[in-house]
Amino acid sequence: MNLNDINKLDFVQLLMKQFGVNPLYKSEKSIWVISPFRPNELTPSFHISKMYKYDIWFDHGNGLGGKIVDFYLHYLKTDLKGVLKYFNENSFSFQKQNDFLIERNIKETQTKNEYEILKLKEISSFPLIQYLEERKLPLEIVNRYCKEIHYKLNGKYYYAIAFPNIQNGYEIRNKYVKMCLVKKDISLIKNNQNQVKIFESWSDFISYIFLFPAQEFLSDFLILNSISLLRKKSELINNYKKIETYFDHDTAGKSATIFLENELKNKVKDDSSFYKNFKDLNEFIIHLKG
């Protein structure tokens, strides 16, 4: 499969299979879905147009858009080689556009994904352990903060790594899935300290514990799970006397640091300089252990 083959796929069917979204059809050529970037939004903000040679998408929540390959560049945070590798290795069954049967009347009545959490246990499934090894995340540390979750979504069964948040929801990850179950919110690991270290993702947090094991219980840890939650949590963050940030080295991460520095002044310290040549902390340890 090459890049052109990927762009020829039916994007609606692709999103249904991978993310369990239920499309809302304004017409056969204009479809709205819940954004994969914001799986807990209440109103669909992700538009797909079928008026052109390829399916064209636009996310009204973040201003991004393009063809299917462009979506996976943003979603996977990778390059073109990474997108090709993802499609050629993953286990989903991709079909061409003319294979997709639109069940319009049924889909328009479905507004929420139907899911059921079946089991939570210690991580032991080989594909998940292999995924952690690829990310250079030690299983022994991950098992202290995450679980293996088995769940049913829209009638199909899945399993993944689950990282809990303060709303009893879970960030769900495996090689092919990046989503949230129940409700999106931050994760807060309390060690009864007056200082907090803030990360964008659980993988960055685990990476930090791996690099600095002596620090595991000397701070509280706040994992945003979505950079968009930062502004809503500034009051909570302000309860701490000392705040250290470990954000991604991209526009969103830099903007988040500036926001906190402006809001909370000299309480905030950007402590990300030691991985300044890498996109994030997890990418840094992948290089370090590679």
Side-chain angles (χ1 to χ4, degrees):
M1 180 174 281
N2 57 36
L3 295 174
N4 190 51
D5 292 331
I6 295 171
N7 281 328
K8 287 180 179 178
L9 296 171
D10 188 303
F11 198 26
V12 177
Q13 188 182 33
L14 199 58
L15 294 176
M16 288 173 63
K17 287 190 173 185
Q18 185 172 357
F19 300 101
V21 301
N22 293 309
L24 176 64
Y25 290 92
K26 297 296 184 182
S27 71
E28 289 187 4
K29 295 184 180 296
S30 178
I31 301 99
W32 292 84
V33 299
I34 297 295
S35 172
F37 296 106
R38 296 174 305 283
N40 290 303
E41 67 180 10
L42 298 178
T43 303
S45 63
F46 193 98
H47 181 255
I48 301 166
S49 173
K50 290 184 170 292
M51 297 178 65
Y52 308 98
K53 180 179 179 181
Y54 304 109
D55 287 358
I56 301 296
W57 62 276
F58 183 78
D59 190 318
H60 289 261
N62 58 24
L64 300 174
K67 300 174 186 176
I68 294 177
V69 169
D70 299 307
F71 170 81
Y72 283 94
L73 286 171
H74 292 296
Y75 187 80
L76 300 174
K77 296 181 179 179
T78 187
D79 55 15
L80 292 174
K81 289 184 179 178
V83 173
L84 281 171
K85 182 179 179 182
Y86 174 79
F87 272 82
N88 285 312
E89 288 185 356
N90 74 54
S91 62
F92 294 105
S93 175
F94 299 119
Q95 296 179 350
K96 302 290 183 180
Q97 289 182 341
N98 57 9
D99 292 334
F100 183 42
L101 174 63
I102 299 176
E103 300 180 42
R104 180 175 176 179
N105 293 333
I106 296 175
K107 297 305 178 184
E108 286 184 340
T109 63
Q110 296 177 328
T111 58
K112 292 184 179 179
N113 295 329
E114 297 179 1
Y115 66 85
E116 179 184 358
I117 296 175
L118 304 173
K119 179 169 59 176
L120 288 165
K121 65 170 193 169
E122 187 174 272
I123 299 168
S124 60
S125 294
F126 177 74
L128 300 182
I129 294 174
Q130 189 176 46
Y131 168 75
L132 292 173
E133 289 175 349
E134 291 173 357
R135 302 287 299 272
K136 306 300 181 186
L137 298 171
L139 179 62
E140 186 263 332
I141 299 176
V142 176
N143 262 326
R144 294 208 291 269
Y145 296 98
C146 302
K147 295 290 185 181
E148 177 175 322
I149 188 170
H150 290 245
Y151 62 99
K152 185 179 179 182
L153 181 65
N154 294 331
K156 296 183 179 180
Y157 295 89
Y158 304 94
Y159 63 94
I161 296 164
F163 181 68
N165 65 37
I166 62 173
Q167 294 283 353
N168 295 317
Y170 295 95
E171 293 298 311
I172 303 298
R173 297 290 185 277
N174 60 34
K175 190 173 182 179
Y176 309 113
V177 173
K178 180 180 180 182
M179 60 178 286
C180 177
L181 277 183
V182 186
K183 186 175 182 179
K184 191 82 167 180
D185 212 327
I186 65 165
S187 302
L188 185 60
I189 297 167
K190 294 184 177 181
N191 291 312
N192 297 316
Q193 302 294 331
N194 60 12
Q195 62 181 13
V196 65
K197 299 179 186 294
I198 308 177
F199 302 85
E200 288 192 39
S201 69
W202 67 272
S203 60
D204 290 333
F205 162 65
I206 298 294
S207 300
Y208 179 86
I209 298 301
F210 165 73
L211 288 169
F212 306 103
Q215 297 292 316
E216 186 169 5
F217 304 105
L218 300 182
S219 299
D220 286 3
F221 297 92
L222 190 154
I223 297 88
L224 291 169
N225 297 319
S226 172
I227 201 74
S228 64
L229 293 175
L230 179 63
R231 292 178 181 272
K232 299 177 183 179
K233 304 300 177 180
S234 58
E235 186 175 340
L236 169 64
I237 295 169
N238 196 31
N239 290 330
Y240 291 93
K241 293 182 179 179
K242 184 179 179 182
I243 301 156
E244 296 177 347
T245 63
Y246 301 84
F247 296 149
D248 292 1
H249 288 146
D250 56 15
T251 302
K254 292 174 183 176
S255 297
T257 300
I258 293 170
F259 167 75
L260 278 183
E261 290 173 340
N262 289 338
E263 289 286 310
L264 308 180
K265 310 302 179 185
N266 58 358
K267 295 171 68 172
V268 179
K269 179 187 177 185
D270 178 0
D271 209 18
S272 67
S273 59
F274 69 91
Y275 59 94
K276 63 182 180 181
N277 294 323
F278 299 88
K279 186 185 78 64
D280 57 32
L281 194 43
N282 183 234
E283 185 178 280
F284 173 67
I285 70 158
I286 290 174
H287 174 80
L288 195 67
K289 296 177 71 176

